[in-house]
């Protein structure tokens, strides 16, 4: 796989030449979950301006790179609209913006995604923190030879979703008046939603949430030493959990309905000095 190393270095050099500050946090917003955040907007550009390959759009997914300074002075690279493998991007392309932010200095990855809920007790609209993942895509952004300087050849994934950040998120959610249950996320290739048989398999194998993103980003982030916190919105019960067909519109609508809670939680987290502490 082409890891786009010279392209990444060129983008990093362009960032520095523009005088942009080094980011502390990279925030990736999932499908229909691109909420506005408080702070000073230092700039917003089409994501395409930072990528060495063309961007293909999906309904409901904006693609912008925003630079935000939080009221506490934290520098955030906010990637609004992510790239998905099912759009034809290679895993290295999917993680390019994230790797750029890591290369520029970000130490924490905060992400959101929309997922199918495998647990019947989690209705659409439930927000959950991911505790662990299963990569069912059959691929990895570490296939081939990423530069040795980016991270270890065989990165440890045993605490990929930082326990301290999950606890922080749980505490903030409680203060905001809602629970934040935790679950295992299964990353599937998509773009077809799963069959009921696949969802039964995933449940048997220990998954609580299913989606078409996230797992490659978390692998790339852990490879580069970032701490990860990922919030999943249960956009719909996964196939077969209730007797109803799945529609992308339903996923987008659930995102709109949860955006207040999500924005409040992200705001609280970005304002918490513990977000960027080393483990
Ligand atoms: N399956 C996979 N991805 C999803 C789903 C789902 O049910 N809902 C939102 N993203």
């Amino acid at each position: 796989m082409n890891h786009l190393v010279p392209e990444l270095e060129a983008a990093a050099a362009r960032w520095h030449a523009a005088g942009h500050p080094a980011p502390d946090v990279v925030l990736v917003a999932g499908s229909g979950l691109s909420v506005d955040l408080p702070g000073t907007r230092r700039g917003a550009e089409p994501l395409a301006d930072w990528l060495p390959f063309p961007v293909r759009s999906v309904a409901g997914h904006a693609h912008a790179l925003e630079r935000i300074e939080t009221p506490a002075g934290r520098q955030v690279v906010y990637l609004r609209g992510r790239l998905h493998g099912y759009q034809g991007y290679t895993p290295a392309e999917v993680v390019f913006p994230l790797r750029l932010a890591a290369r520029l200095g970000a130490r924490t990855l905060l992400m959101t995604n929309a997922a199918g809920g495998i647990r019947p007790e989690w209705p659409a609209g439930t927000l959950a923190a991911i505790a662990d993942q299963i990569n069912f895509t059959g691929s990895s952004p570490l296939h081939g030879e990423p530069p040795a300087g980016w991270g270890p050849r065989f990165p440890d994934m045993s605490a990929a979703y930082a326990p301290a950040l999950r606890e922080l998120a749980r505490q903030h959610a409680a203060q905001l008046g809602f629970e934040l249950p935790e679950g295992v996320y299964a990353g599937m290739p998509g773009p077809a939603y799963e069959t009921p048989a696949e969802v039964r398999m995933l449940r048997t194998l220990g998954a609580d949430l299913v989606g078409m993103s996230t797992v490659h980003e978390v692998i790339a982030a852990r490879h580069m030493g970032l701490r990860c916190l990922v919030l999943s919105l249960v956009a719909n019960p996964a196939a077969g959990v209730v007797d109803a067909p799945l529609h992308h519109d339903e996923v987008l609508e659930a995102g709109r309905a949860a955006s207040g809670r999500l924005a409040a939680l992200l705001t609280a987290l970005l304002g918490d000095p513990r977000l960027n502490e080393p483990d």
Side-chain angles (χ1 to χ4, degrees):
M1 193 178 351
N2 178 358
H3 289 281
L4 305 166
V5 181
E7 291 86 349
L8 193 95
E9 290 307 319
R14 213 150 53 74
W15 184 276
H16 292 308
H20 300 333
D24 303 304
V25 175
V26 50
L27 170 58
V28 182
S31 317
L33 301 180
S34 183
V35 295
D36 288 324
L37 295 171
T40 312
R41 220 152 153 261
R42 296 288 183 200
E45 289 123 49
L47 182 59
D49 289 2
W50 291 98
L51 301 182
F53 49 86
V55 177
R56 306 163 202 115
S57 288
V58 185
H61 303 239
H63 287 100
L65 186 155
E66 264 184 39
R67 287 174 288 106
I68 295 179
E69 184 173 329
T70 67
R74 180 168 283 157
Q75 305 295 334
V76 181
V77 166
Y78 186 11
L79 300 166
R80 301 181 79 151
R82 59 150 60 86
L83 311 176
H84 296 86
Y86 63 72
Q87 294 170 271
Y89 298 110
T90 66
E93 288 173 342
V94 166
V95 303
F96 185 90
L98 167 71
R99 279 179 167 161
L100 174 62
R103 167 74 184 70
L104 291 168
R107 301 322 305 147
T108 303
L109 169 65
L110 198 49
M111 285 206 293
T112 61
N113 65 35
I118 296 178
R119 282 175 176 263
E121 68 270 30
W122 291 357
T126 303
L127 274 179
I130 301 184
D132 204 349
Q133 72 179 33
I134 305 175
N135 176 8
F136 267 115
T137 66
S139 59
S140 164
L142 307 187
H143 286 175
E145 303 231 8
W150 285 3
R153 190 65 188 113
F154 302 102
D156 176 33
M157 293 292 286
S158 55
Y161 293 85
L165 294 185
R166 283 151 49 197
E167 175 57 21
L168 205 61
R170 199 192 56 73
Q171 286 173 13
H172 281 296
Q175 269 167 16
L176 291 165
F178 59 92
E179 280 182 37
L180 190 70
E182 293 202 334
V184 173
Y185 177 93
M188 303 293 277
Y193 290 115
E194 300 68 41
T195 63
E198 286 165 345
V199 171
R200 280 196 300 277
M201 172 193 79
L202 294 173
R203 180 190 294 130
T204 304
L205 295 178
D208 305 299
L209 300 153
V210 57
M212 305 175 193
S213 67
T214 302
V215 293
H216 288 163
E217 287 142 300
V218 169
I219 290 170
R222 290 307 295 149
H223 177 233
M224 295 182 97
L226 275 68
R227 301 162 81 222
C228 302
L229 175 64
V230 185
L231 304 173
S232 258
L233 168 70
V234 176
N236 53 274
V241 174
V242 298
D243 190 15
L246 304 185
H247 293 293
H248 186 56
D249 288 353
E250 177 190 19
V251 173
L252 297 180
E253 180 48 41
R256 279 188 283 273
S259 60
R261 264 176 302 147
L262 199 57
L265 183 51
L266 291 173
T267 300
L269 284 163
L270 287 171
D272 191 316
R274 292 168 291 179
L275 183 69
N276 229 20
E277 276 174 7
D279 281 325

